[in-house]
Amino acid sequence: MEPSGSARMCSSSNHTLNSTGGGCPWEVSDKARLCRFLCYGSEGDIYTAREEGHVSMENAGALLSLLQEGRGAEVVEEIKKFCQDGRAVGLGPSFFALALCSQHSEVKTRQAAFKALKEVCRDPAHLFSFIQNKKELKEGMKCGIWGRALRKAVSDWYNEQDAMSLAAAVTKCKQREGWSHQDLLRLSHTKPANEAIALISKYVTKGWKEVQVAYSDKENSEEVVKVLSYLEVVEKVKHSCDETEVITLIEEHKLEREQLLTDHLKSKQVWRALLKEMPLQSVLRILGKMTSNKILEPGSPETQAVCDRIQSEAALKKAKIHPFSLLLSSENYKRGQGYQGKTKWEADSSILKAMDSAFYKSFMNVEPVGKRFVVAVDLSTSLSSIVPGTSVSTAVAAAAITMIFARTEADTHVLAYSEGALVPCSVSADMTLAQATVELVKIPGGNTDCTLPITWAAENGKVVDVFIILTNNPLWAFTASPVESLKNHRQKTGANSKLVMCGLTSIGHTIADTEDRGLLNICGFDLGAMSVIRNLAQDLI
């Protein structure tokens, strides 16, 4: 049985924590704006796919308001959740927000921020980004950033790492954003917590020769011996010109390309050795380059091994590859040309077949939200319409998005716009992507009226949590106010209903200038858009 309207509408944490202390449950509170910012770097109701703009104070009004209200510890907890639970499209906003919290005037906020450093910044690249954000936030101020609290937090970050993991990390990601491990260890005055960390610190700050002198005649612990052996391998590969030796070291010690010299990467055999243990997401990104450079050739053992990995359920599960991510990779590989530079290739049919197989298997990685969805699709019949920044036609993208919801959410209705009305669409969970695409494009589109799905639900007695509209139509129309239509559906059904307008080719269209937290606009589409919809459905933004 559905809970009453008032109970249902006030159930989310963002409603009850409205900074205004009450009012309309759908008002966009400072807490909701903060969550939007942490999710996609903007406090507004527009998510623009593939946009990686620089995060600044201009985007962080709600964050500043919450800090001024003394809710800094609450902000830090939210930052941790977005980083640890994989809610964020990108982590840049979280590093910015944590840096801002770490230099707030309230002591409790600063302490909470520094305590969370290791949980939020899980690898060196994250740590460097956090430090750079702190530096930029301090620009124009006389004081520096390296106070006692930051020195301790950075020292703890290094000292609390597993020694072998740290050895691998400092040799893979040596510097980023103008900062190096040498800078951080020196400026934080790090006192190593144990012999193994001391060894790594000496290696970073003094170099390998100093390490050899210091440790050659010492009686070392088992952990120190392991770290020494690993660093010796890293140094050996850096100075080796012998292709066979380099390949042997890669295979025996699972070295990665960041630990090799540029000259090593000119060798096909070295790349073939790297591919064996390379993370699957990285393999998918460089398939075109590997085919272009003849590292992957038709019928070769390496190509067969890559195909086996791509469609391995265990590998897909371990890498948590999402179906939409596979679609983007597959269409880009099929295109036969990179977006930048002159790299071209002829797509290998066996690789395309493996990616197609992997697409359907990867649905197991989509965790159901457990909400009631209506997905309404309005497509022009032109298949030449492309989602910006991708190689995917809007028809294929819409079919894939529809399939993802139809296959993973038990309560999903798929509708299609046709001549000013909505009609049920025969896209089903057991269809292939090609079949679903055909079903969508054969229905003639009409005006994209975003109130029609809500009207359909009312006329058919459907209780809906999330309405999603997918369109490549540049002109959107309303027979009534989307906000009012949504309010009426909420009042009539008691559902916590939301509306997402996805302009697949849009560069900035919006439903309306609204302060209703249940309305969201998506311009273009990418994997991040799936996260944004998921977060909205679960009342997390």
Side-chain angles (χ1 to χ4, degrees):
M1 181 179 287
E2 281 292 328
S4 69
S6 59
R8 181 71 184 268
M9 293 169 87
C10 295
S11 63
S12 97
S13 60
N14 286 339
H15 298 160
T16 55
L17 286 170
N18 192 323
S19 64
T20 58
C24 172
W26 289 99
E27 184 178 339
V28 187
S29 67
D30 280 342
K31 180 71 179 294
R33 290 184 200 279
L34 169 69
C35 291
R36 284 176 177 177
F37 174 77
L38 295 175
C39 180
Y40 53 87
S42 169
E43 295 182 350
D45 61 1
I46 304 174
Y47 168 70
T48 303
R50 306 179 78 85
E51 184 176 68
E52 295 179 8
H54 183 70
V55 181
S56 67
M57 287 287 197
E58 293 173 11
N59 309 113
L63 170 57
L64 291 168
S65 295
L66 290 167
L67 292 178
Q68 286 163 6
E69 290 170 17
R71 297 169 70 183
E74 189 181 335
V75 170
V76 172
E77 283 304 309
E78 212 59 49
I79 293 169
K80 284 161 60 178
K81 286 177 190 173
F82 270 84
C83 291
Q84 293 170 342
D85 299 346
R87 298 181 195 171
V89 173
L91 293 175
S94 293
F95 303 146
F96 174 89
L98 192 70
L100 195 59
C101 290
S102 75
Q103 49 202 54
H104 187 59
S105 57
E106 187 185 62
V107 175
K108 284 184 180 178
T109 299
R110 293 201 304 273
Q111 288 174 339
F114 285 126
K115 189 177 178 182
L117 183 64
K118 192 185 174 190
E119 295 171 80
V120 175
C121 300
R122 285 168 288 179
D123 65 38
H126 297 169
L127 182 62
F128 293 145
S129 182
F130 168 77
I131 297 295
Q132 180 59 20
N133 272 296
K134 280 189 69 69
K135 182 187 174 186
E136 289 175 5
L137 287 167
K138 280 284 189 179
E139 278 182 3
M141 299 172 71
K142 290 182 180 179
C143 58
I145 66 170
W146 289 96
R148 185 184 300 171
L150 178 60
R151 293 200 304 270
K152 183 182 185 304
V154 171
S155 294
D156 289 348
W157 190 93
Y158 284 101
N159 279 325
E160 291 171 10
Q161 302 281 346
D162 167 74
M164 282 300 291
S165 299
L166 183 61
V170 300
T171 54
K172 289 175 191 173
C173 182
K174 298 172 189 174
Q175 56 186 30
R176 196 73 59 90
E177 301 199 36
W179 296 94
S180 68
H181 293 288
Q182 190 171 11
D183 295 329
L184 268 52
L185 288 167
R186 176 175 55 83
L187 291 164
S188 64
H189 306 163
T190 297
K191 293 179 180 176
N194 57 56
E195 267 298 306
I197 302 295
L199 162 58
I200 296 165
S201 179
K202 185 177 279 290
Y203 174 74
V204 168
T205 56
K206 302 293 184 181
W208 177 242
K209 286 185 179 178
E210 292 258 359
V211 168
Q212 285 179 304
V213 171
Y215 288 87
S216 59
D217 297 327
K218 284 179 72 174
E219 191 173 318
N220 299 310
S221 68
E222 186 180 341
E223 188 175 36
V224 168
V225 170
K226 280 177 69 177
V227 173
L228 263 175
S229 299
Y230 183 79
L231 294 177
E232 185 176 10
V233 167
V234 172
E235 286 297 310
K236 193 173 185 179
V237 82
K238 273 166 56 177
H239 295 92
S240 178
C241 298
D242 183 336
E243 183 183 71
T244 305
E245 182 181 46
V246 170
I247 291 166
T248 301
L249 292 172
I250 290 168
E251 292 177 342
E252 287 183 359
H253 301 279
K254 295 183 169 55
L255 299 182
E256 297 185 22
R257 59 177 165 169
E258 293 84 1
Q259 294 166 305
L260 305 184
L261 300 177
T262 305
D263 281 348
H264 294 152
L265 300 177
K266 294 175 183 176
S267 161
K268 291 182 185 180
Q269 296 304 326
V270 166
W271 272 108
R272 284 169 181 154
L274 287 169
L275 277 172
K276 292 176 184 176
E277 293 291 338
M278 189 178 288
L280 187 53
Q281 194 67 266
S282 300
V283 172
L284 293 171
R285 275 197 298 268
I286 64 168
L287 282 172
K289 181 181 176 181
M290 296 296 95
T291 304
S292 174
N293 293 343
K294 309 295 182 188
I295 291 156
L296 296 176
E297 297 186 282
S300 71
E302 290 79 18
T303 300
Q304 185 58 52
V306 164
C307 289
D308 290 344
R309 273 194 74 197
I310 288 172
Q311 55 192 326
S312 158
E313 288 192 13
L316 288 166
K317 199 165 189 175
K318 182 183 177 184
K320 299 178 182 176
I321 307 286
H322 192 281
F324 203 79
S325 180
L326 266 163
L327 175 68
L328 293 173
S329 297
S330 177
E331 293 296 314
N332 186 49
Y333 182 67
K334 197 183 295 180
R335 181 172 182 257
Q337 185 174 352
Y339 287 108
Q340 297 174 339
K342 299 176 182 177
T343 307
K344 292 185 179 181
W345 60 88
E346 189 172 335
D348 184 284
S349 60
S350 63
I351 292 176
L352 286 172
K353 190 176 178 182
M355 293 175 89
D356 185 60
S357 170
F359 172 75
Y360 298 102
K361 290 178 180 177
S362 66
F363 280 88
M364 66 182 173
N365 290 331
V366 183
E367 191 178 338
V369 175
K371 301 291 184 180
R372 296 158 294 196
F373 289 89
V374 162
V375 182
V377 185
D378 177 33
L379 290 173
S380 67
T381 52
S382 170
L383 285 170
S384 61
S385 176
I386 300 293
V387 178
T390 77
S391 303
V392 185
S393 76
T394 52
V396 171
I401 297 161
T402 302
M403 281 180 67
I404 289 167
F405 284 98
R407 284 190 175 217
T408 61
E409 299 295 343
D411 195 341
T412 297
H413 294 278
V414 180
L415 308 172
Y417 282 81
S418 180
E419 299 173 351
L422 277 174
V423 295
C425 183
S426 56
V427 170
S428 61
D430 57 353
M431 281 183 173
T432 65
L433 181 59
Q435 289 169 335
T437 304
V438 169
E439 285 299 317
L440 290 179
V441 298
K442 75 181 184 184
I443 301 170
N447 287 332
T448 309
D449 182 345
C450 47
T451 61
L452 286 183
I454 306 170
T455 305
W456 176 89
E459 290 173 351
N460 290 275
K462 302 293 183 184
V463 180
V464 179
D465 295 311
V466 186
F467 295 95
I468 300 170
I469 299 174
L470 306 171
T471 181
N472 61 3
N473 192 333
L475 300 174
W476 303 353
F478 323 128
T479 51
S481 161
V483 180
E484 289 305 314
S485 298
L486 203 58
K487 282 180 181 175
N488 291 338
H489 185 75
R490 289 167 184 161
Q491 288 169 359
K492 184 178 177 182
T493 64
N496 194 1
S497 303
K498 305 175 183 74
L499 172 63
V500 183
M501 189 74 180
C502 300
L504 297 176
T505 58
S506 173
I507 53 170
H509 287 89
T510 61
I511 300 171
D513 182 16
T514 173
E515 284 296 303
D516 189 302
R517 200 183 58 77
L519 272 74
L520 187 71
N521 303 276
I522 293 177
C523 299
F525 210 90
D526 60 2
L527 184 58
M530 297 299 298
S531 296
V532 172
I533 293 172
R534 184 181 185 85
N535 283 330
L536 184 74
Q538 293 178 303
D539 281 326
L540 299 174
I541 58 172

